[in-house]
Amino acid sequence: MLAYLVIREGSKWTDVFRLIPGQSVTIGRAPTNQIVVKDERCSRCHAELFMSGGQWTLRDLDSRNGTSVSGMLIQGDRVLTAGDIVRIGNSQLAFVHDLTKAFPDAASTLRTADGESAGAPGAAAAASEPNVLDAAEPATITHRRGQTRYLEPHDEDTDAGASKVGRSAAKLCRLAFELAKAPDAVAMAKLALAGLFEGTQMDAGGLLLLRRELAGEPTAADLDLVASRTDTDAPYHRVSPFLAATVLRESEAVMARNIMGDSKLGSRDSKGDMSANSVICAPIRRGKKVFGLIHLYATVSNRVPDPDDLEFTLAVADTVAVALQNLHRRQELAENLNQIRDENVQLRERLGVQSEIIGKSRAMARVTEEVGRAAPTSATVLVRGESGVGKELVARAVHFSSPRRKGAFVCLNCAALSESLLESELFGHERGAFTGAVNRKIGKFEAAHQGTLMLDEIGEMSPTIQAKFLRVLEGHPFERVGGSEPVKVDVRVIAATNRDLEKDVAEGRFRRDLYFRLHVLEVYVPPLRKRPDDIPELAHYFFNKYNLETGRRLRGFTPEAMDQMVRYRWPGTVRELKNVVERAIVLAAGDFIAQEDLMLSKLPTTGDTGESLPTGQEFKPVSLAEMERRHILATLKATNWNKSQTAQLLGIERSTLDRKIRRYELAESRPAGRLP
């Protein structure tokens, strides 16, 4: 059987709610209820209606003012019968099975929540009224206005014809507009108090906010007064701890009258006298989060607040909560924006360092000129120099000075990967191309499309990869490993090496055609020992960098330390200088980096032999390969065949060292029992 709740507030019909078996219905003032009763005497969750044993049963949910059925206050559950009138505050809900029998004196058409029309006395008259939308009206612009008058200040005389609710709504609309423009919490609080004094009977009050990042439940002691105002000569008196705790705990606005003798609800002045006869306290909340509260009180006996004042105060409090949340978000966005700007500046500074060549010697001036001539073109560049001179820095300078600077700069060390992995890194692979290839991978060539690809240690590339690499350099498309789809890219290649490629070509270790394809433009970066004028400038640059990063407050180098660095041969070139300065900053005991703080290597530079000649022994000419073999063997012996330490001292990769050991057959000289 169909069942309905016909809702009536005062003398007006408001709604009809259809009851569905198997679904419970909650009644209360909170907007989360299925039936919302806008009555100050209705609790937030007042009552519940549900089907039990084939009958609709009403249960009071421990409401503050109780629930009555047909004039009797119910306790526990009450089975409803057709025609029962449920009263909650000033609202009435009629339980019926036939809508025509509910409130027979009604004179309007009812409409159920699901859109069904319910016949009631007077419905025919209502249906015969003309529809304002039926009139044909030409599509013309009839009114124009630049700014709404509802946001402008209004006099009481102007609004005299409007209802109190309408005037309050207009004030609230204007206040919300002003609160949204408030630059900070103090200005927002002052605007809110001004609007409350205009819309209520109160003459004193304050706005208090909870401290941010509170741990646990908020208390009255966690409230900070943001702004206060009084229309009398007496100062504002803070809300009582009991009232503040009650509002924060229950998250409901309260109003109390005749509190002159109540110490819990009223505030006392400095002499201990009660300072108010009526008080309103409303939480500033947004959902379940409470930001603070609004405290208003009246000190004059003829100013007595009514329920509309409480409604207006609660509406202002909710509006302040929205504005306050937006203000917090704007502040967080501003803080994040400042942080991102700082990080952007730091990244730009780092990028500038990476693309700036440091040094004012004639040798570096020549390098800068060569970079300037090579950058505007699309020709392949070959960067030569010993390991550690900064070949990647030169390549970055070429890229960021070229028209491709908006594209990607991708760097790959050819000596760090095996042949199969290098091919996959360069050209990518398809899913399932080999064991472990679970997804398609984009190679470095595709990643550097319309940008620059730097290949370091190009001399270590295997002949098989050299052939495929040459085709790509000549503009031919390539295929990913395990794929058949041709891929064509637009990439500028910069190759770097510390090897003698001409010798490798002569010995058949490097393709002749690839050498000539790479050797279009060449930039030679001299080692640090050939440009000693740059040593002080580089030393001070690394000193400032690491002095800031480590948090030390060193003042510089001693003259003896700087003189030793200028005279030192620097076999590891700029990389060694950087490491020496960083180590000295960390370990320095005084205010200056002294000579004893510099831990300089005794390794010979490239071109020196790795073994010292006994005094008086005649010089015997040897090849560069033999000299390299001796030097590597001497270094291995000095480190007790520690390959990682040897590779670090020599300034080469561990994989490069392994290849040289196999090439020169140095493993036969390894001490017995020493692991490879």
Side-chain angles (χ1 to χ4, degrees):
M1 183 179 295
L2 297 179
Y4 302 91
L5 275 181
V6 184
I7 306 170
R8 186 178 187 183
E9 296 180 359
S11 59
K12 297 181 180 179
W13 294 89
T14 58
D15 204 351
V16 174
F17 193 90
R18 181 177 177 180
L19 302 177
I20 301 176
Q23 295 183 6
S24 62
V25 179
T26 58
I27 306 171
R29 186 162 42 86
T32 55
N33 295 287
Q34 284 88 348
I35 299 179
V36 179
V37 178
K38 298 178 181 179
D39 193 315
E40 63 176 356
R41 299 185 62 187
C42 179
S43 299
R44 296 179 62 84
C45 294
H46 197 100
E48 182 182 14
L49 190 62
F50 56 92
M51 177 75 76
S52 177
Q55 294 180 313
W56 286 99
T57 305
L58 180 67
R59 175 181 296 169
D60 184 79
L61 300 177
D62 296 329
S63 62
R64 180 174 301 177
N65 296 310
T67 305
S68 64
V69 178
S70 300
M72 297 181 62
L73 199 64
I74 67 172
Q75 293 181 353
D77 297 346
R78 166 68 183 269
V79 177
L80 297 181
T81 58
D84 283 345
I85 304 296
V86 180
R87 181 178 292 275
I88 298 177
N90 294 325
S91 301
Q92 302 177 52
L93 297 87
F95 177 78
V96 295
H97 295 294
D98 186 358
L99 289 175
T100 59
K101 298 180 180 180
F103 300 124
D105 59 334
S108 62
T109 301
L110 303 179
R111 185 167 297 275
T112 63
D114 55 2
E116 295 181 0
S117 182
S128 62
E129 294 180 0
N131 191 340
V132 295
L133 298 178
D134 293 339
E137 183 175 327
T140 58
I141 298 175
T142 57
H143 297 82
R144 291 180 182 271
R145 190 167 182 83
Q147 186 176 357
T148 174
R149 62 183 178 86
Y150 293 122
L151 297 180
E152 299 175 355
H154 282 60
D155 297 333
E156 293 293 335
D157 296 339
T158 306
D159 294 338
S163 64
K164 184 176 182 179
V165 175
R167 293 194 301 269
S168 298
K171 292 176 182 177
L172 185 62
C173 178
R174 291 191 292 269
L175 180 60
F177 187 77
E178 295 297 327
L179 290 174
K181 298 187 298 183
D184 51 46
V186 176
M188 187 182 301
K190 292 180 178 179
L191 286 171
L193 291 175
L196 287 166
F197 278 37
E198 179 184 355
T200 65
Q201 297 293 323
M202 301 304 188
D203 55 19
L207 191 146
L208 303 92
L209 294 180
L210 290 169
R211 302 185 186 96
R212 300 180 69 176
E213 306 299 336
L214 285 176
E217 294 294 329
T219 62
D222 298 324
L223 291 167
D224 291 332
L225 181 64
V226 178
S228 62
R229 174 175 170 173
T230 60
D231 286 348
T232 61
D233 296 334
Y236 166 76
H237 299 295
R238 190 181 176 95
V239 61
S240 67
F242 172 79
L243 182 59
T246 301
V247 174
L248 291 176
R249 181 180 64 255
E250 298 183 1
S251 188
E252 287 187 343
V254 298
M255 179 181 68
R257 302 177 182 138
N258 302 322
I259 63 170
M260 191 63 71
D262 193 331
S263 60
K264 292 184 177 181
L265 298 178
S267 303
R268 295 182 180 272
D269 57 18
S270 58
K271 298 180 180 180
D273 299 330
M274 300 301 294
S275 57
N277 55 27
S278 299
V279 63
I280 291 178
C281 194
I284 302 174
R285 68 195 174 200
R286 180 68 172 164
K288 295 182 179 180
K289 183 177 179 58
V290 179
F291 296 97
L293 54 83
I294 292 176
H295 174 227
L296 302 174
Y297 60 89
T299 58
V300 183
S301 58
N302 60 355
R303 285 178 171 260
V304 179
D306 55 21
D308 290 336
D309 292 336
L310 179 64
E311 291 282 354
F312 185 76
T313 304
L314 184 58
V316 172
D318 290 343
T319 306
V320 170
V322 175
L324 194 62
Q325 189 178 44
N326 293 336
L327 179 62
H328 290 168
R329 289 178 179 173
R330 291 200 304 268
Q331 293 174 349
E332 291 176 358
L333 289 174
E335 294 173 358
N336 293 338
L337 181 60
N338 292 333
Q339 181 180 357
I340 292 174
R341 285 176 177 172
D342 294 340
E343 293 176 355
N344 192 17
V345 171
Q346 294 176 4
L347 290 175
R348 287 181 179 273
E349 290 177 353
R350 294 178 184 176
L351 183 60
V353 170
Q354 293 174 349
S355 60
E356 179 182 356
I357 300 175
I358 299 175
K360 298 181 181 179
S361 62
R362 294 183 60 183
M364 292 310 298
R366 184 169 57 254
V367 171
T368 304
E369 292 175 1
E370 293 174 353
V371 169
R373 288 194 296 266
T377 69
S378 297
T380 306
V381 180
L382 179 62
V383 183
R384 292 177 179 264
E386 297 178 10
S387 179
V389 296
K391 297 187 289 296
E392 183 178 345
L393 198 70
V394 173
R396 288 182 180 274
V398 172
H399 170 74
F400 289 109
S401 301
S402 71
R404 297 175 178 264
R405 56 182 171 271
K406 294 184 179 180
F409 178 82
V410 181
C411 183
L412 178 64
N413 191 332
C414 300
L417 300 171
S418 63
E419 179 179 337
S420 58
L421 289 179
L422 179 59
E423 183 179 9
S424 174
E425 285 293 323
L426 280 174
F427 308 111
H429 62 254
E430 297 289 346
R431 179 180 179 182
F434 50 84
T435 303
V438 295
N439 293 308
R440 170 188 282 187
K441 179 179 179 180
I442 301 300
K444 301 299 183 184
F445 266 105
E446 291 184 77
H449 180 59
Q450 296 185 343
T452 303
L453 173 63
M454 178 193 174
L455 297 177
D456 200 4
E457 302 288 351
I458 190 69
E460 306 297 333
M461 185 180 291
S462 67
T464 305
I465 305 299
Q466 290 179 26
K468 190 172 182 179
F469 177 54
L470 177 60
R471 283 188 54 83
V472 179
L473 281 181
E474 292 176 345
H476 296 284
F478 61 90
E479 297 175 357
R480 303 185 187 95
V481 178
S484 58
E485 180 182 355
V487 180
K488 188 175 179 60
V489 293
D490 176 20
V491 175
R492 181 182 191 175
V493 174
I494 300 178
T497 183
N498 60 356
R499 296 174 59 94
D500 186 355
L501 291 184
E502 290 85 352
K503 180 182 176 181
D504 290 343
V505 170
E507 296 178 356
R509 289 194 297 267
F510 199 81
R511 293 180 62 99
R512 179 183 298 269
D513 47 2
L514 178 58
Y515 169 75
F516 288 115
R517 186 65 182 82
L518 292 175
H519 197 253
V520 179
L521 297 175
E522 180 179 313
V523 178
Y524 173 71
V525 186
L528 196 56
R529 62 181 177 275
K530 293 186 179 181
R531 47 187 180 104
D533 296 341
D534 295 333
I535 294 177
E537 183 178 359
L538 285 167
H540 283 102
Y541 167 75
F542 291 126
F543 172 83
N544 295 329
K545 177 180 176 33
Y546 294 114
N547 198 31
L548 179 63
E549 289 184 2
T550 58
R552 300 293 302 272
R553 297 185 178 181
L554 301 181
R555 300 169 63 183
F557 300 91
T558 62
E560 295 79 9
M562 182 59 69
D563 182 64
Q564 183 179 9
M565 286 193 296
V566 173
R567 289 186 289 106
Y568 181 59
R569 296 284 291 170
W570 297 109
T573 63
V574 180
R575 181 185 290 121
E576 183 184 4
L577 173 61
K578 182 183 79 168
N579 296 336
V580 166
V581 174
E582 183 179 8
R583 185 187 305 113
I585 289 176
V586 174
L587 301 178
D591 293 337
F592 291 87
I593 295 179
Q595 187 174 359
E596 55 270 16
D597 297 324
L598 301 175
M599 299 179 63
L600 303 178
S601 171
K602 295 182 180 180
L603 290 174
T605 59
T606 302
D608 297 336
T609 60
E611 301 173 351
S612 300
L613 292 175
T615 304
Q617 183 176 347
E618 293 182 358
F619 171 76
K620 295 182 180 180
V622 294
S623 65
L624 289 175
E626 178 62 20
M627 188 178 298
E628 185 181 49
R629 188 193 70 80
R630 294 179 182 179
H631 179 54
I632 293 175
L633 180 59
T635 308
L636 286 169
K637 291 179 179 180
T639 60
N640 195 20
W641 278 81
N642 187 322
K643 292 184 180 181
S644 298
Q645 186 178 358
T646 301
Q648 183 178 4
L649 291 174
L650 294 176
I652 61 177
E653 300 291 338
R654 169 70 182 268
S655 58
T656 304
L657 176 61
D658 290 333
R659 284 193 294 272
K660 292 182 183 296
I661 291 175
R662 291 193 298 269
R663 179 188 304 171
Y664 298 129
E665 299 179 351
L666 299 179
E668 300 176 358
S669 303
R670 184 174 65 247
R674 181 67 182 174
L675 294 176

